[in-house]
Amino acid sequence: MASAPNFINRIPPVTRTLIIINVIIWAFTAIFPAKMNTLVDFGALHYFTSPGFNPAQLLTYMFIHGGFTHLFFNMFALYVFGSALEYTFGDKRFLFYYISCGIGAALIQEGIFAIRIHSLASYIDPQSYQFIISDGWKAISQGMNYADPQFAQINILVNGPTVGASGAIYGVLAAFAMIYPNRPLYIMFIPVPVKAKWVVLGYALLEFSLGFGQVNDNVAHFAHLGGMIVGAAIVFIWKRKGIVHGDFY
């Protein structure tokens, strides 16, 4: 049986470092839960007109996770699929790809939020909207929100935090499906292997339907889609330039 240090050392360096950083940040918040609100206020992604927004959040949000399950599934996917991609891309190109997918996911989510906020704000006067932005930040920070459903929804979109590496991870999944489309994957509750391209397409359709549906599950579905879109665009360009090649196994 391989020892833990040997197992960790076999993970390629960028993937290993990303996992370690994410685990350390999660462990810190688990040991010092009182620091979680401060970390979220500073590092979680907020809408760009929120009093809590700062540009660094486009990067920092992807290293913060709300719970162990969220962290585990993201890091497991990063270990499985990210390792394969890092061997294919090389460490520097993989790091560029991963960060680009995470930032791209954040920007696309901000854009979708802008459309939704504009639609909701068109039904209220500008003074009330400005009040929601400023006063709502304090309410969200204290775990509260408005009783009025429209005010509450605007406040969540503007001042609610987004955390997690899922946008970048979905970009990793998109790249894996484009480079290894026919690799068999085993999915929970499905007794036969499924080709990678169909698995990732299924995830994309699910995120699309949930994003445009009426499901209020506090999951950043458009960030997931955004990571996939940005990742697919990068891989498409790299394949056209001959930087990476598909494997039609």
Side-chain angles (χ1 to χ4, degrees):
M1 180 179 294
S3 64
N6 288 337
F7 168 75
I8 294 172
N9 290 334
R10 284 203 301 269
I11 303 173
V14 172
T15 300
R16 180 173 67 242
T17 301
L18 289 170
I19 292 173
I20 290 172
I21 292 172
N22 278 277
V23 170
I24 288 174
I25 292 174
W26 173 83
F28 176 80
T29 59
I31 296 170
F32 305 103
K35 300 293 185 181
M36 184 63 178
N37 287 340
T38 302
L39 183 64
V40 168
D41 287 347
F42 175 80
L45 178 66
H46 296 82
Y47 186 61
F48 70 91
T49 61
S50 169
F53 174 78
N54 69 76
Q57 292 171 357
L58 295 171
L59 175 67
T60 57
Y61 87 101
M62 68 181 83
F63 294 97
I64 304 171
H65 289 81
F68 178 76
T69 301
H70 190 200
L71 173 78
F72 174 80
F73 282 107
N74 276 344
M75 294 304 100
F76 180 75
L78 178 57
Y79 161 66
V80 173
F81 300 104
S83 296
L85 287 182
E86 186 172 346
Y87 285 126
T88 301
F89 291 166
D91 52 2
K92 293 180 180 178
R93 184 168 283 118
F94 175 70
L95 179 61
F96 169 83
Y97 179 83
Y98 182 88
I99 297 298
S100 297
C101 288
I103 293 175
L107 292 173
I108 288 177
Q109 172 153 304
E110 294 280 281
I112 295 296
F113 277 14
I115 296 171
R116 288 184 166 180
I117 291 167
H118 177 75
S119 176
L120 290 167
S122 63
Y123 295 100
I124 61 177
D125 62 273
Q127 186 175 0
S128 296
Y129 175 69
Q130 291 301 322
F131 176 79
I132 293 171
I133 291 178
S134 58
D135 186 71
W137 164 252
K138 301 173 186 176
I140 289 285
S141 298
Q142 297 170 2
M144 299 184 294
N145 205 350
Y146 297 104
D148 181 278
Q150 190 174 17
F151 279 32
Q153 190 171 359
I154 292 174
N155 192 31
I156 290 173
L157 291 171
V158 174
N159 291 313
T162 297
V163 297
S166 300
I169 297 300
Y170 271 74
V172 168
L173 292 176
F176 189 90
M178 293 179 71
I179 296 172
Y180 309 109
N182 296 319
R183 290 291 177 93
L185 300 178
Y186 289 88
I187 308 300
M188 191 179 299
F189 305 122
I190 299 179
V192 295
V194 182
K195 291 181 179 179
K197 59 185 177 183
W198 302 126
V199 173
V200 175
L201 178 60
Y203 274 119
L205 292 175
L206 178 63
E207 293 296 329
F208 185 85
S209 63
L210 291 174
F212 282 100
Q214 301 299 316
V215 179
N216 185 18
D217 54 6
N218 295 320
V219 176
H221 297 291
F222 287 107
H224 298 173
L225 286 170
M228 296 183 92
I229 291 169
V230 172
I234 292 173
V235 173
F236 178 79
I237 293 170
W238 284 353
K239 290 179 76 172
R240 288 289 298 270
K241 291 185 176 181
I243 296 173
V244 297
H245 303 278
D247 174 1
F248 297 97
Y249 168 82

